[in-house]
C-alpha cells in the first residue's frame, strides 16, 4: 500500500512539474508525442484488430434513445452445448428470464460424484440470449430443497452488484429485478452470495449473450462451452462423492479442469457434430473460479476471435486465445477436412491429466491437398547410404613402447569397436561382415589393411572365398590406434602375426592423401 | 466421546444446581462465555451470560401438540404475514403429519416461520436463543468448548453445507452431542435465532467488507472478523436472506431460556399486520398505547434511534419533506418513529428530538417499547438492526402503511427521491 502511495505521489509530482513553467510542451516532448501518435495510427490502420461492421452503431449513444421497446417475450434458455436461436427481431423488447437455482448431486467424472450448485440444473448454467437495449425482467427462483441462499451477478448488468444485491434469494423463494442491456457482448453470470468463491467453485456460472444491434454474422453452427475447475477433497479420479476442498481452492491447485461441468461432457459419444465446409462459432466462457484458459482447437485456426467476448474487437488468424477467469471469448472457424477437432486448454497438463478436453466431430468429404494424412512410412537408417564418421571413442594415451603394450591396447580397441561387426573371435557374420580370423584378405596385404582401418571400405570384397558387399565406416582412429588394433588382429585367430607400427600407418595415410584417393577405399 | 458428553452434561447439570437453578427437562445449562461476534470488526468480545438451551431441536410431534392447543397457528388459520405459503407443507393437514408421520415425528420441525417458532417458545415459557448464544454454543465439538480454530472442524461443517438437504432430516436424538450436551447444532437443519435480522449482509456479499451505507446506517464499520471461517460466513449469509415470515425446508429451531427470573407461558395471537402485534408502546407524551391504536390512518413509518448521528436525521428530514410535499393531505397522514433504543429513548428524549426537528406534534408520533416488543415489530416490518459498541447499525427504511397496517411501499435507500413515497401516500388517501 505504502509503496503504491509513494509511487503515485511521485508520478503526480512529475506530472505537476511537467506542467510547471510556461505550460507549453517543450519541443522535444512535442516531437516525441508526434512520433508516437504517428506510430499509433499506423498500427491501428494496419488492421491488426478490426472492428466489426456494427462497431460504430454500437458505440453511438444516439442509438440508445432511438429504439423504442416493442412487445414482450419469454427468453428461450438452453443447456450446454446448445445455444438458443439467433434473435431475429430488429427492435428491443421486454424479455422475461426465469432461472431456477438447483443444488444437485451429479457425475463429475467416472465413479466420481459432486454436489453441484447450478443455475437451471447443470453446469454451466443456462445460456441466455437477448438483444442490446432489451429490458429484462429477471426472475431468480431458489428451489425449496436448497440448503443455501443464492443470487446472481450478470456481467451484462450495469448497476450495483450486477444484480446480486437485488436477487438475494432464500431457499423456497423467488426474487425479481429488472435491467436494461445497454452493452452488447458475451458476458459471464455467476452467484455472488457469501462466500462467493465457494458458490462459484460449486458450479454457479453461465453465459448471457447480448447481441449487438444488427446481430452477429451468420454461421452454420453455434455451440456453448464453458471451462472451469473443481477442487475436491480426494485426488483426480478418486471414487465416491467428493466434497469441496477449501484448502485446494485457496492454493489454486485444481483437481479437475473441465469443459461443461464434468470430464468428458463434450467428448467421445458426447462430442458435438458438424459437417465439412461449415462455419462454426463457439461461445466460450471461463467460470474459473481461479484459472485462466489458453483456449485452442487442435486442427483449426480461428478465422475470427471476438477478443474477450467483445463484439466490437475482432482478431483474425489466431491459434490460441486467452480467456480470463470470469470472462469469455467468441471464436469462429471453418472445417475444411473431416475428423475430430479437439478443444483444449493448452496449459497441457490440464488437458491430459485433469479433463480439459472436448470434441467436435466433423463428417464429410476428404481434401487431401489441405490435409493428406500419412502418405508414406519408411525406414530411417542410422548409417545412411555412405560411410559415416564415428566420433573418437577412445581416450588419448601416451604411445605404446613395445609389442606387448601394443597388443594390450589393440585388444581394448578391438573389444570396444570392431567386435560389433567382426565378433569376439574375429569370425564376422556370414553374408554380412567378413571374418578377420585366418583372413586371406588381411594376410596378403597389410598396407591395404591399414588403409581399410584408417578410412573405411565400400564395395565387393572376397574373403576366404566368400563375397561381401557391405559398408565399413571410417572409424576416426589415429595412427597409434590403427597400429595397435591391427597388431592385435594380426596376432590372433591364425593370422600371420608381426607388428604394425604407427610409422607404417603414417606412411599409408600420407600416400593415400597425396594420391588423392577418395577417403573411403574402394575395392572392385 | 459419548462418555465425555454424558459427563459434561452431568457436570453442567450439577454446576447449574450449584448456581441455584436446575435445567428444565430437555435442556442443558450453557455456561457463560466470551464471544466475538462474526461481523463486528475490531470490537472486543461480548460477554454471553449463562443460559439454558434445548438439547435437541423442536420436533414435528412437539409442534403438532402446539398447534393442537393454539388453533391460530394451524396451517389453514395462519396469516401470510406470520408465515408464508411454505408453512408446514411437509404435513398432510392442519393436524395430520401424513404418510411420513413415522419419520417426521422425531425429526426436527421445518417449514416454520420465525413468528411461529417464537410463539411455540413463548407457549412453553421459553424464548428463541440469540445469535450470540447460538453461535457460542455451536463453537463446541465433541470434546472442546471452542473448536472454531480447528480447520478440520470447519471443513466438516462446509461438507455438511455442500450436501443437499434431506427431504426428511434424521431424528433429533440421533445427532451426536457436543461437549455441552447439545445435539445436532450442525448437520441436521439451520436454526432460527431471535435476532436473525441482526445479520446485515447485503444481497451482494462482495461489497461487504464495509457496510453498504445507502442501505444501512453504520455504527462503526462492520467487518467480518474471520473470513476464513466460511462456515460462520455461510450461516450469517443464510440468516441475511431470511424474513420473519419465511418457511424453509432446511430451517428449524430450538428454544432457550434465561437463567433466573421466571418466564410465564404466553399465548401469542396470530396477526395480519404489524398493528396486530401485542406489546405496549410509550409515546413522547408518556402515553401507553398498543400498535392497534394506530389503525385507521395512513402512516409513514420509520425505525431508528434518536442518538443516531448518521442516517436517522437524514431519514427524518426526508419524512418531513414528504410531509411538506403532501400539503393539506399531511393532516390526514400520520408520521411515526419507532425507537429501537428503549434505554435512551425516553419520552423526554423523544420530545426533545421532536422539538429539535420542529415537527408538528399533531402529525408526529414517537414510540418506544421494551426490547422484545421492538424486535418482533422490526421483524414484522422486515427491518434489520444490530447493536455494535453501544450504537446501532440498522436498515434505512421509510415505509408507507395503510389504515390496517399493511406495508404498501418501502424506500430502503438513503438519498433516494421522495417522489415514489409521496405518490404511494397520495394513492392510499385517494381511496374511499
Amino acid at each position: 500500500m505504502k509503496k503504491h502511495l509513494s509511487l503515485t505521489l511521485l508520478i503526480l509530482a512529475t506530472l505537476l512539474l511537467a506542467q510547471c513553467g510556461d505550460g507549453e510542451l517543450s519541443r522535444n516532448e512535442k516531437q516525441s508525442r508526434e512520433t508516437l501518435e504517428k506510430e499509433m495510427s499506423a498500427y491501428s490502420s494496419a488492421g491488426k484488430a478490426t472492428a466489426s461492421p456494427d462497431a460504430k452503431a454500437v458505440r453511438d449513444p444516439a442509438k440508445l434513445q432511438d429504439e423504442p421497446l416493442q412487445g414482450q417475450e419469454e427468453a428461450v434458455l438452453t443447456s450446454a452445448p446448445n445455444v438458443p436461436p439467433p434473435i431475429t427481431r430488429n427492435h428491443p423488447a421486454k424479455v422475461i428470464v426465469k432461472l431456477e437455482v438447483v443444488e444437485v448431486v451429479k457425475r463429475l467424472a467416472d465413479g466420481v460424484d459432486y454436489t453441484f450448485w447450478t443455475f437451471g440444473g447443470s453446469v454451466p448454467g443456462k445460456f441466455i440470449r437477448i438483444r442490446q437495449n432489451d429490458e429484462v425482467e429477471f426472475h431468480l427462483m431458489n428451489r425449496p430443497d436448497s440448503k443455501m441462499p443464492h443470487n446472481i451477478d450478470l456481467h451484462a448488468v450495469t448497476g450495483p452488484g450486477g444484480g446480486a444485491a437485488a436477487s438475494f434469494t432464500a431457499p423456497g423463494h423467488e426474487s425479481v429485478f429488472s435491467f436494461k442491456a445497454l452493452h452488447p457482448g458475451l458476458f459471464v453470470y455467476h452467484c455472488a452470495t457469501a462466500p462467493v468463491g465457494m458458490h462459484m467453485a460449486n458450479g454457479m456460472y453461465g453465459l448471457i449473450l447480448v447481441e449487438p444491434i444488427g446481430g452477429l454474422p451468420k454461421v452454420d453452427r453455434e455451440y456453448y462451452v464453458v471451462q472451469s475447475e473443481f477442487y475436491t477433497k480426494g485426488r483426480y479420479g478418486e471414487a465416491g462423492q467428493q466434497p469441496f476442498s477449501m484448502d485446494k481452492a485457496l492454493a489454486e491447485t485444481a483437481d479437475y479442469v473441465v469443459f461443461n461441468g464434468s470430464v468428458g461432457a463434450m467428448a467421445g459419444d458426447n462430442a458435438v457434430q458438424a459437417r465439412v465446409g461449415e462455419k462454426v462459432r463457439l461461445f466460450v466462457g471461463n467460470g474459473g473460479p481461479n484459472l485462466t484458459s489458453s483456449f485452442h482447437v487442435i486442427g483449426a485456426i480461428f478465422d475470427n476471435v471476438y477478443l474477450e467476448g467483445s463484439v466490437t474487437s475482432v482478431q483474425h488468424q489466431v491459434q490460441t486465445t486467452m480467456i480470463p477467469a470470469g470472462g469469455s471469448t467468441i471464436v469462429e472457424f471453418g472445417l475444411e477436412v473431416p475428423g475430430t477437432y479437439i478443444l483444449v486448454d493448452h496449459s497441457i497438463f490440464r488437458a491430459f491429466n485433469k479433463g480439459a478436453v472436448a470434441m467436435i466431430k466433423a463428417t464429410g468429404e476428404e481434401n487431401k491437398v489441405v490435409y493428406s494424412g500419412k502418405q508414406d512410412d519408411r525406414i530411417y537408417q542410422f548409417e545412411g547410404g555412405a560411410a559415416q564418421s564415428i566420433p573418437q571413442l577412445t581416450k588419448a594415451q601416451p604411445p605404446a613402447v613395445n609389442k606387448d603394450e601394443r597388443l594390450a591396447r589393440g585388444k581394448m580397441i578391438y573389444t570396444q569397436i570392431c567386435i560389433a561387426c567382426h565378433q569376439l573371435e574375429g569370425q564376422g557374420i556370414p553374408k554380412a561382415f567378413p571374418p578377420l580370423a585366418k583372413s586371406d584378405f588381411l594376410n596378403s596385404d597389410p598396407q591395404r589393411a591399414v588403409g581399410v582401418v584408417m578410412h573405411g571400405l565400400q564395395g565387393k570384397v572376397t574373403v576366404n572365398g566368400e563375397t561381401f558387399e557391405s559398408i565399413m565406416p571410417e572409424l576416426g582412429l589415429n595412427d597409434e590406434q590403427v597400429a595397435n588394433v591391427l597388431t592385435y588382429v594380426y596376432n590372433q585367430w591364425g593370422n600371420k602375426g608381426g607388428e604394425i607400427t604407427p610409422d607404417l600407418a603414417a606412411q599409408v595415410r600420407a600416400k593415400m592423401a597425396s594420391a588423392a584417393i577418395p577417403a573411403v577405399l574402394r575395392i572392385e | 466421546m459419548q462418555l465425555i458428553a454424558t459427563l459434561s452434561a452431568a457436570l453442567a447439570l450439577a454446576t447449574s444446581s450449584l448456581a441455584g437453578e436446575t435445567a428444565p427437562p430437555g435442556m442443558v445449562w450453557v455456561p457463560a462465555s466470551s464471544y466475538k461476534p462474526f461481523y463486528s470488526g475490531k470490537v472486543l468480545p461480548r460477554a454471553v451470560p449463562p443460559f439454558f438451551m434445548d438439547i435437541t431441536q423442536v420436533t414435528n410431534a412437539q409442534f403438532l401438540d402446539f398447534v393442537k392447543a393454539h388453533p391460530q397457528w394451524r396451517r389453514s388459520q395462519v396469516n401470510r404475514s406470520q408465515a408464508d405459503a411454505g408453512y408446514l407443507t411437509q404435513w398432510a393437514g392442519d393436524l395430520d403429519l401424513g404418510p411420513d408421520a413415522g419419520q417426521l415425528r422425531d425429526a426436527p420441525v421445518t417449514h416454520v416461520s420465525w413468528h411461529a417458532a417464537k410463539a411455540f417458545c413463548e407457549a412453553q415459557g421459553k424464548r428463541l436463543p440469540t445469535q450470540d448464544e447460538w453461535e457460542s454454543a455451536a463453537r463446541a465439538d465433541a470434546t472442546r468448548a471452542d473448536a472454531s480454530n480447528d480447520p478440520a472442524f470447519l471443513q466438516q461443517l462446509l461438507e455438511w453445507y455442500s450436501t443437499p438437504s434431506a427431504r426428511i432430516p434424521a431424528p433429533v436424538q440421533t445427532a451426536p452431542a457436543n461437549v455441552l450436551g447439545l445435539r445436532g447444532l450442525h448437520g441436521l437443519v439451520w436454526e432460527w435465532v431471535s435476532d436473525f435480522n441482526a445479520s446485515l449482509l447485503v444481497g451482494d456479499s462482495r461489497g461487504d467488507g464495509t457496510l453498504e451505507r445507502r442501505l444501512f446506517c453504520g455504527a462503526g464499520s462492520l467487518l467480518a472478523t474471520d473470513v476464513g471461517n466460511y462456515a460462520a460466513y455461510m450461516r450469517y449469509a443464510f440468516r441475511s436472506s431470511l424474513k420473519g415470515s419465511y418457511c424453509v425446508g432446511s430451517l428449524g429451531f430450538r428454544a432457550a431460556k434465561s437463567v433466573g427470573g421466571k418466564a410465564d407461558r404466553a399465548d401469542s395471537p396470530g396477526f395480519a399486520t404489524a398493528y396486530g402485534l401485542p406489546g405496549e408502546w410509550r409515546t413522547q407524551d408518556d402515553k401507553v398505547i398498543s400498535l392497534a391504536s394506530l389503525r385507521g390512518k395512513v402512516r409513514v413509518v420509520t425505525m431508528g434511534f434518536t442518538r443516531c448521528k448518521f442516517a436517522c436525521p437524514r431519514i427524518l428530514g426526508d419524512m418531513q419533506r414528504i410531509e411538506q410535499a403532501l400539503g393539506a393531505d399531511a393532516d390526514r397522514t400520520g408520521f411515526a418513529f419507532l425507537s429501537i433504543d428503549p434505554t435512551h429513548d425516553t419520552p423526554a428524549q423523544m420530545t426533545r428530538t421532536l422539538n429539535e426537528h420542529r415537527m408538528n406534534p399533531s402529525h408526529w408520533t414517537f414510540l418506544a417499547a421494551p426490547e422484545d416488543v421492538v424486535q418482533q415489530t422490526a421483524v414484522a416490518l422486515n427491518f434489520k438492526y444490530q447493536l455494535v459498541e453501544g450504537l446501532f447499525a440498522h436498515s434505512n427504511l421509510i415505509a408507507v402503511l395503510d389504515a390496517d397496517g399493511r406495508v404498501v411501499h418501502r424506500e430502503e435507500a438513503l438519498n433516494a427521491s421522495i417522489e415514489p413515497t409521496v405518490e404511494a401516500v397520495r394513492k392510499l388517501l385517494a381511496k374511499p
Side-chain angles (χ1 to χ4, degrees):
Chain A
M1 257 320 245
K2 275 205 178 132
K3 224 171 83 171
H4 287 164
L5 191 58
S6 46
L7 186 61
T8 316
L9 285 173
L10 190 64
I11 292 171
L12 273 172
T14 318
L15 286 173
L16 280 171
L17 282 172
Q19 296 300 321
C20 273
D22 52 2
E24 278 222 356
L25 293 171
S26 73
R27 218 181 43 186
N28 279 342
E29 283 172 344
K30 239 191 181 155
Q31 269 179 351
S32 48
R33 182 178 280 195
E34 275 169 15
T35 321
L36 186 63
E37 281 177 18
K38 234 189 276 177
E39 281 176 21
M40 287 301 290
S41 63
Y43 179 82
S44 38
S45 67
K48 291 221 170 106
T50 60
S52 83
D54 285 308
K56 189 171 185 300
V58 145
R59 276 196 283 246
D60 189 346
K63 274 284 179 187
L64 294 174
Q65 271 90 320
D66 276 354
E67 295 209 305
L69 228 62
Q70 282 177 56
Q72 176 173 311
E73 60 192 49
E74 186 166 330
V76 172
L77 306 180
T78 58
S79 297
N82 298 312
V83 178
I87 308 279
T88 48
R89 56 185 153 84
N90 56 3
H91 57 84
K94 175 166 173 186
V95 180
I96 309 214
V97 175
K98 294 188 176 161
L99 197 53
E100 186 189 31
V101 174
V102 188
E103 296 175 5
V104 62
V105 178
K106 284 175 94 164
R107 172 192 172 277
L108 174 59
D110 284 340
V112 185
D113 282 342
Y114 190 83
T115 304
F116 296 97
W117 296 347
T118 71
F119 284 107
S122 50
V123 177
K126 299 275 188 192
F127 194 97
I128 307 171
R129 188 168 195 156
I130 58 174
R131 181 190 181 278
Q132 186 177 5
N133 292 333
D134 277 350
E135 288 181 14
V136 176
E137 183 183 284
F138 202 100
H139 295 245
L140 187 72
M141 292 86 79
N142 191 357
R143 279 232 188 134
D145 60 1
S146 293
K147 204 167 251 177
M148 307 301 303
H150 296 287
N151 63 10
I152 189 168
D153 167 6
L154 301 118
H155 287 184
V157 173
T158 44
S167 59
F168 196 29
T169 312
H173 290 84
E174 174 176 345
S175 294
V176 184
F177 72 99
S178 296
F179 67 93
K180 188 178 178 85
L182 297 174
H183 297 262
L186 180 63
F187 299 100
V188 168
Y189 66 77
H190 61 87
C191 180
T193 300
V196 183
M198 187 173 176
H199 282 248
M200 289 192 71
N202 284 338
M204 300 199 77
Y205 36 77
L207 292 181
I208 174 167
L209 172 67
V210 182
E211 287 194 8
I213 296 165
L216 293 169
K218 190 186 173 309
V219 293
D220 301 299
R221 305 247 178 194
E222 289 178 325
Y223 287 114
Y224 170 32
V225 182
V226 171
Q227 178 179 330
S228 59
E229 313 103 58
F230 289 91
Y231 300 85
T232 53
K233 198 166 168 195
R235 294 172 52 206
Y236 177 89
E238 202 171 302
Q241 175 144 358
Q242 291 292 333
F244 166 68
S245 167
M246 176 63 67
D247 287 338
K248 290 185 187 175
L250 281 168
E252 303 189 20
T253 51
D255 297 290
Y256 297 86
V257 182
V258 295
F259 290 112
N260 290 351
S262 62
V263 176
M266 197 172 130
D269 290 336
N270 298 323
V272 298
Q273 307 293 327
R275 301 263 324 144
V276 168
E278 286 183 337
K279 194 151 197 252
V280 176
R281 174 183 292 140
L282 299 179
F283 296 106
V284 193
N286 185 358
N290 288 321
L291 304 180
T292 304
S293 174
S294 304
F295 185 69
H296 175 81
V297 176
I298 302 176
I301 296 159
F302 304 136
D303 295 317
N304 299 321
V305 176
Y306 295 75
L307 295 170
E308 296 171 346
S310 162
V311 294
T312 59
S313 183
V314 186
Q315 189 75 293
H316 306 287
Q317 315 308 336
V318 174
Q319 70 196 287
T320 302
T321 188
M322 297 280 280
I323 316 178
S328 71
T329 189
I330 307 175
V331 300
E332 293 170 359
F333 52 96
L335 298 169
E336 276 105 39
V337 298
T340 303
Y341 293 80
I342 305 181
L343 284 62
V344 294
D345 180 343
H346 220 291
S347 290
I348 211 68
F349 281 91
R350 298 176 194 171
F352 295 121
N353 299 74
K354 297 188 178 181
V357 168
M359 296 175 186
I360 301 174
K361 291 210 170 122
T363 52
E365 291 224 355
E366 302 271 356
N367 184 340
K368 294 289 186 185
V369 173
V370 170
Y371 183 83
S372 70
K374 187 176 268 198
Q375 290 167 317
D376 190 13
D377 188 341
R378 53 181 83 140
I379 300 290
Y380 175 60
Q381 286 186 314
F382 172 63
E383 272 95 2
Q388 313 253 312
S389 274
I390 293 180
Q392 278 270 358
L393 292 170
T394 53
K395 274 195 281 202
Q397 287 175 306
V401 298
N402 56 34
K403 191 175 174 184
D404 283 333
E405 275 193 359
R406 207 172 293 291
L407 282 171
R409 288 173 191 194
K411 184 176 182 188
M412 270 179 64
I413 296 171
Y414 186 86
T415 50
Q416 277 173 5
I417 304 171
C418 320
I419 200 170
C421 301
H422 293 292
Q423 304 301 299
L424 188 62
E425 307 284 331
Q427 70 271 37
I429 295 180
K431 296 203 192 3
F433 307 119
L436 303 176
K438 240 182 178 161
S439 163
D440 55 7
F441 182 89
L442 282 181
N443 291 318
S444 61
D445 187 350
Q447 284 207 15
R448 183 178 57 184
V450 170
V452 168
V453 173
M454 208 166 255
H455 296 296
L457 191 62
Q458 198 176 36
K460 268 205 189 95
V461 290
T462 306
V463 181
N464 295 352
E466 242 196 281
T467 315
F468 297 88
E469 191 173 2
S470 199
I471 299 175
M472 175 160 159
E474 184 175 343
L475 298 162
L477 299 174
N478 59 30
D479 298 343
E480 170 73 19
Q481 289 164 321
V482 171
N484 293 346
V485 71
L486 272 173
T487 304
Y488 170 77
V489 168
Y490 274 114
N491 285 280
Q492 305 300 311
W493 318 310
N495 286 325
K496 74 181 199 183
E499 188 177 349
I500 306 292
T501 60
D503 286 336
L504 176 60
Q507 273 176 43
V508 171
R509 195 186 289 278
K511 221 199 289 186
M512 288 177 84
S514 64
I517 295 173
V520 174
L521 204 58
R522 281 182 180 278
I523 309 276
E524 288 304 326
Chain B
M1 291 300 167
Q2 282 290 355
L3 185 60
I4 295 174
T6 323
L7 280 177
S8 313
L11 187 64
L13 197 64
T15 331
S16 69
S17 325
L18 287 174
E21 197 166 331
T22 47
M27 301 185 99
V28 287
W29 183 72
V30 179
S33 59
S34 169
Y35 175 70
K36 195 160 185 185
F38 173 71
Y39 227 80
S40 289
K42 304 187 191 87
V43 297
L44 295 166
R46 297 209 274 243
V48 182
F51 67 106
F52 297 115
M53 194 176 214
D54 277 355
I55 293 172
T56 63
Q57 290 104 349
V58 172
T59 62
N60 282 284
Q62 290 169 318
F63 205 80
L64 180 59
D65 288 338
F66 166 71
V67 299
K68 276 183 184 156
H70 301 91
Q72 69 272 33
W73 289 99
R74 292 180 195 174
R75 194 166 81 178
S76 61
Q77 303 295 320
V78 97
N79 195 285
R80 285 289 157 253
S81 312
Q82 308 165 244
D84 69 16
Y87 185 55
L88 294 176
T89 45
Q90 77 275 28
W91 292 7
D94 272 8
L95 301 175
D96 178 12
L97 294 184
D100 294 317
Q103 278 182 289
L104 283 171
R105 282 196 56 80
D106 297 318
V109 68
T110 56
H111 294 279
V112 287
S113 68
W114 179 86
H115 296 288
K118 182 172 185 291
F120 176 99
C121 294
E122 283 165 3
Q124 305 203 318
K126 299 179 187 177
R127 57 171 175 80
L128 285 169
T130 64
Q131 198 169 186
D132 284 356
E133 285 173 340
W134 195 95
E135 288 283 334
S136 65
R139 286 182 300 180
D141 70 1
T143 52
R144 298 167 285 186
D146 185 357
S148 58
N149 285 320
D150 182 359
F153 176 65
L154 297 180
Q155 174 66 22
Q156 217 180 10
L157 296 186
L158 280 184
E159 286 178 24
W160 178 66
Y161 296 159
S162 49
T163 54
S165 302
R167 194 174 63 86
I168 300 174
V172 296
Q173 289 299 336
T174 61
N178 69 12
V179 74
L180 299 168
L182 297 163
R183 288 184 189 278
L185 285 167
H186 305 290
L188 278 180
V189 291
W190 304 109
E191 294 184 23
W192 282 113
V193 292
S194 63
D195 55 346
F196 76 93
N197 62 337
S199 298
L200 294 180
L201 274 184
V202 185
D204 178 0
S205 313
R206 286 141 322 154
D208 278 329
T210 56
L211 200 57
E212 171 57 75
R213 288 183 185 271
R214 281 185 70 243
L215 298 181
F216 300 112
C217 176
S221 64
L222 288 192
L223 295 162
T225 50
D226 181 7
V227 277
N229 188 346
Y230 263 30
Y233 212 163
M234 288 165 83
R235 288 194 295 272
Y236 202 83
F238 183 76
R239 289 184 207 115
S240 298
S241 74
L242 298 171
K243 293 186 186 160
S245 59
Y246 275 21
C247 301
V248 180
S250 54
L251 176 61
F253 71 102
R254 69 181 70 211
K257 191 173 175 164
S258 303
V259 173
K262 297 213 65 181
D264 293 320
R265 288 164 186 264
D267 182 13
S268 307
F271 62 92
T273 70
Y275 291 169
L277 289 173
E280 291 184 342
W281 292 78
R282 202 165 279 271
T283 69
Q284 73 266 29
D285 301 322
D286 210 358
K287 257 188 22 214
V288 174
I289 62 163
S290 70
L291 289 178
S293 59
L294 296 178
R295 271 185 221 279
K297 209 175 185 183
V298 173
R299 294 184 192 272
V300 180
V301 175
T302 188
M303 297 187 78
F305 64 116
T306 62
R307 288 180 301 143
C308 179
K309 294 280 183 297
F310 181 68
C312 300
R314 176 59 204 252
I315 292 172
L316 289 175
D318 278 351
M319 286 170 76
Q320 285 182 290
R321 288 195 300 132
I322 293 167
E323 194 184 359
Q324 251 184 345
L326 287 169
D329 281 339
D331 290 334
R332 295 199 284 142
T333 316
F335 293 82
F337 178 94
L338 273 55
S339 168
I340 55 178
D341 187 14
T343 325
H344 293 94
D345 286 344
T346 59
Q349 174 58 24
M350 292 194 287
T351 305
R352 220 170 293 138
T353 308
L354 191 147
N355 291 333
E356 269 167 19
H357 286 263
R358 285 187 248 274
M359 289 165 167
N360 181 343
S362 64
H363 293 170
W364 282 86
T365 316
F366 280 64
L367 293 165
E371 268 180 40
D372 56 318
V373 174
V374 175
Q375 170 66 2
Q376 188 168 25
T377 313
V379 172
L381 291 177
N382 197 24
F383 179 86
K384 302 190 179 197
Y385 66 102
Q386 186 185 131
L387 181 61
V388 182
E389 292 176 313
L391 292 174
F392 290 91
H394 63 84
S395 298
N396 300 330
L397 172 67
I398 298 177
V400 176
L401 275 61
D402 70 7
D404 293 321
R406 227 163 300 151
V407 179
V408 301
H409 179 83
R410 307 173 67 87
E411 182 52 72
E412 309 230 40
L414 219 46
N415 289 348
S417 160
I418 60 166
E419 273 316 307
T421 313
V422 174
E423 222 9 77
V425 176
R426 287 215 182 98
K427 251 175 86 176
L428 280 177
L429 292 173
K431 285 199 184 143

